[in-house]
Structures are given as structure tokens and as C-alpha cells.
Amino acid sequence: MPKSAYIHIPFCKSKCKYCSFVSFSKLELANDYIFAIKKEIMADYAGESLETLYFGGGTPSLMDIDKLSDILSKFNLASDSEVTLELNPDDASLEYLTQLSQLGINRLSIGSQTFDDGILKLIGRRHNSEDILNAVNLAKKAGFKNISLDLIYGLPTQTINNLKTDIQKFLELDIQHISTYGLKIEPESYWGKNSPQIPDDDTQADMYEMINGILENAGFYRYEISNFAKKGYESRHNLTYWNNKEYYGFGAAAHGYVDGVRYANSKSIENYIKAPLEYEFSHELSAKEKLEEEIFLGFRKREGIDVLLINAKYGIDFVNQYKDILEKYSAYIEKTSAGFTLNQQGVLISNLILSEFLD
């Protein structure tokens, strides 16, 4: 049974130029939307004790405390559950953050992206660098001891030196987790239709390697391709995905994985409100698909894949079945005590390597 749940809050005051996530400025629908989410939870959630709960978006921090409390009341949370909420820096106030902490939310993921005010304005963010500092300091005052910041690299006008300055400012904040994202221009985004000039692939690779070097020297361990944490502060919720475990997905455009079935809800907020129990997509995975996902997701982790676990779970001989791929990419795939992992150079071409494991 799933031990995790994701809640999608699709509301945003405005859309960032790089964003392709399902989000809307239709805040007038918030009450109807929360009612629909509760209906979906009561229909699908079996009441088991959850280890992680994640409010993503969109901008969950646009929701008032009563609405978040209403959703949380529907779940049975373990005493040590990790409960995360994504927060925009300009939504932070000591009163709101204190109420979040009192509600049981114990981890914040703050959408900072960069400390460069010029770039923040260019990419369509509503906050500035001072708002980031303020949000982190207020979160600490409110009692949060598990704070993550987002960092995007490969942005228009961004240079290696800009990025180095960003990383140093992130480190000065004494936070526990940093998620890094190389900019990808998606067709559905503003920039997908109005393409900006961005650093080339080689420069982005240099940026990624620099991020790795500085963060790891500062005590942040890269436990997954894009995520760094101080010891004990890895995102337990996101590890649910990378460990290929099942989870609920509630809300418009939310994805879930329950009883071997991957499903997605309607991307239309109006359609979701009308019929929150109807999936837009669902697919029961075959044994072969489950194996491929186990490999693909497992290789994203720094620790890599556990060969004995995979052999026992899927009744195969991993080394024999994939010996050609392992030999072809032997310069990029390293042996571990439990199986295999991608080395630093392998991470840079991970999409190419991992595609070989997919039929």
C-alpha cells in the first residue's frame, strides 16, 4: 500500500516564462477545488499511515491555513511523517509560517531559483533576492529546521561567475537541502513559443560540475542527479519516486502509482472540479515496464541500483541480461557493493545511457 501522497495546488498569481507545469490564476475556484480534492481523497485513500505528504504546485503557499488544514485532516500521518509545502518567497510572513509549522508541515521547499535580481525579473519571478533571505530567516524563526531551496542553472544571461555567486549565497543561508535544475525549454511554456538565448550544452555541463564540486565540498551530498542534502535531510518524499514505490496523487494534473497502475488526473481545473474521481489516463504496468522503471529511476540515485534486489524482485540475472550495455558504457557506469551507479561523467549523459535500458 502507498505510504506517500502528493497534493497538487495549481494556483499561481502569474506564470514564469520557463514554466510548463499545470497552473492557473483562477483563485476564485479555490473553494470548489479544495472540495473536489477532499472528495477524491475520501474515495481513493485507504486510511493507511503515511510517511510523506507533499503539497506541490502551482503555488501551495497561496492557500490559507484553513484550506491546508482541511486537506491535512483527511490523512492519517505517522508521528515522524515528512510533510512538505512548496513556498514562494514573497508569500512568507512570520504569522503564516508559524501557522504552517503548528499545522504539522515540517519541511519547506522554497522556489528561489537565483539571487540575481536582473535574472529573476527576466524569467518572470514575482520575488527578488531580498525576499529569499527574508523567507528563509522567517522560516527559521517559525521553527522550521528542514528547508530546501531551488536553484536553476542555464538561465538567459547567466554566467559561470553569476552561478558561483548564487551558490555561495545559498550556502550562507545555512539550509539543509538544495534542488538544482538545468533549464529545459518546454513547448508549453512562454519560452517554448518565444525562445530565449541560453548557455550552450557545454556551458551547462560546466555549470553542473561546478555546482557538484562546491556543494559537496560544503557538506551537501548529491544523493540524486539533481538533489543535494546535508546528512539526514534527503527528501523522503522524492525518494519514494526514485525508489519506485507507490504513492497517491490528488488534484488536477496529479500523477499517482497505486496497485501497479500509473494514473493522471485531468489537466483542466474545471473538468477536475466536475469529476475528481475520473482519471485522464491510467495504465497497469507490465512486469517488463516495472523492471525498466526500477532501473531508470534507480540509476538517478547516487547509490544506484541494487542488483540482488532487482534479481529477486523480477526473476532475472541483471548482469547477464544487460551485459552489452554495461560493457558499452563501462567508462560511465561504476560497480558498487550492491550493484551499479553512474559516475560523474555518466550523470552528464544519463538520458542517453538510461534510454538504452528501455525497450
Side-chain angles (χ1 to χ4, degrees):
M1 296 293 287
K3 297 292 184 181
S4 297
Y6 172 81
I7 313 289
H8 190 65
I9 306 296
F11 301 106
C12 281
K13 289 180 181 176
S14 59
K15 194 100 164 176
C16 300
K17 293 181 180 177
Y18 56 82
C19 181
S20 62
F21 291 119
V22 175
S23 62
F24 311 91
S25 59
K26 305 172 182 178
L27 277 165
E28 67 276 7
L29 297 177
N31 287 334
D32 290 340
Y33 184 75
I34 299 301
F35 183 81
I37 280 185
K38 290 189 296 179
K39 187 174 181 180
E40 185 186 10
I41 293 169
M42 289 186 285
D44 293 347
Y45 169 56
E48 59 268 50
S49 178
L50 295 183
E51 296 173 356
T52 75
L53 185 65
Y54 194 104
F55 288 92
T59 312
S61 53
L62 287 178
M63 294 295 96
D64 60 45
I65 294 298
D66 288 344
K67 289 184 175 63
L68 296 173
S69 177
D70 207 6
I71 294 173
L72 277 170
S73 69
K74 305 304 176 189
F75 292 104
N76 174 23
L77 297 173
S79 59
D80 63 344
S81 291
E82 176 194 87
V83 185
T84 303
L85 182 126
E86 292 182 353
L87 176 91
N88 262 24
D90 56 325
D91 292 329
S93 71
L94 183 57
E95 180 184 11
Y96 185 68
L97 291 168
T98 301
Q99 289 175 326
L100 289 178
S101 180
Q102 292 171 343
L103 196 59
I105 291 165
N106 52 31
R107 182 175 184 272
L108 293 177
S109 177
I110 301 176
S112 44
Q113 320 313 355
T114 175
F115 271 92
D116 188 305
D117 283 331
I119 294 179
L120 283 170
K121 186 175 181 179
L122 177 64
I123 67 180
R125 297 297 292 176
R126 290 186 285 113
H127 69 269
N128 58 33
S129 57
E130 192 63 31
D131 292 330
I132 303 171
L133 295 171
N134 185 55
V136 173
N137 290 330
L138 289 177
K140 290 178 181 179
K141 285 184 180 179
F144 284 94
K145 295 178 173 60
N146 192 350
I147 300 171
S148 177
L149 292 185
D150 291 344
L151 170 67
I152 299 181
Y153 62 93
L155 291 165
T157 77
Q158 190 179 52
T159 65
I160 290 283
N161 286 334
N162 290 146
L163 184 59
K164 189 173 184 180
T165 299
D166 267 350
I167 300 168
Q168 295 299 340
K169 289 183 177 179
F170 274 48
L171 294 176
E172 290 169 7
L173 290 174
D174 188 28
I175 54 174
Q176 292 72 42
H177 188 281
I178 299 175
S179 294
T180 66
Y181 303 96
L183 179 68
K184 297 289 186 292
I185 306 296
E186 303 291 349
E188 300 85 4
S189 68
Y190 172 86
W191 276 344
K193 303 173 181 66
N194 305 271
S195 184
Q197 186 173 351
I198 62 175
D200 60 31
D201 289 346
D202 287 343
T203 301
Q204 288 204 37
D206 291 342
M207 288 176 164
Y208 179 79
E209 292 194 300
M210 183 185 72
I211 291 169
N212 270 264
I214 295 175
L215 291 185
E216 295 222 322
N217 285 337
F220 282 82
Y221 180 72
R222 180 181 63 76
Y223 67 99
E224 188 270 344
I225 285 178
S226 300
N227 287 272
F228 299 77
K230 292 180 179 177
K231 187 174 182 180
Y233 289 96
E234 299 84 358
S235 169
R236 289 164 55 196
H237 182 82
N238 286 340
L239 280 169
T240 295
Y241 304 145
W242 301 319
N243 287 325
N244 203 25
K245 294 182 179 179
E246 296 191 338
Y247 57 94
Y248 293 106
F250 299 112
H255 289 240
Y257 180 34
V258 178
D259 293 334
V261 175
R262 290 204 178 272
Y263 64 87
N265 289 336
S266 174
K267 294 178 181 178
S268 162
I269 189 170
E270 291 86 358
N271 288 346
Y272 175 77
I273 288 172
K274 289 176 186 174
L277 307 186
E278 293 181 9
Y279 296 147
E280 185 171 271
F281 165 85
S282 68
H283 172 67
E284 185 171 1
L285 298 183
S286 65
K288 178 172 170 297
E289 289 171 324
K290 290 179 181 178
L291 168 62
E292 290 176 346
E293 289 193 355
E294 189 96 15
I295 295 168
F296 187 91
L297 294 167
F299 264 121
R300 289 191 61 89
K301 297 180 296 179
R302 179 74 162 268
E303 67 182 31
I305 59 168
D306 184 327
V307 167
L308 290 180
L309 177 66
I310 287 176
N311 288 349
K313 196 171 179 179
Y314 298 99
I316 65 169
D317 180 337
F318 180 88
V319 173
N320 183 60
Q321 184 163 325
Y322 296 106
K323 64 179 185 298
D324 291 344
I325 300 173
L326 296 174
E327 289 173 3
K328 180 178 179 181
Y329 293 104
S330 60
Y332 305 99
I333 298 176
E334 293 182 355
K335 192 84 173 66
T336 68
S337 59
F340 297 93
T341 187
L342 298 177
N343 62 23
Q344 183 68 41
Q345 294 305 306
V347 168
L348 294 175
I349 59 168
S350 58
N351 287 341
L352 173 64
I353 296 172
L354 297 181
S355 68
E356 297 256 5
F357 288 96
L358 307 178
D359 186 0

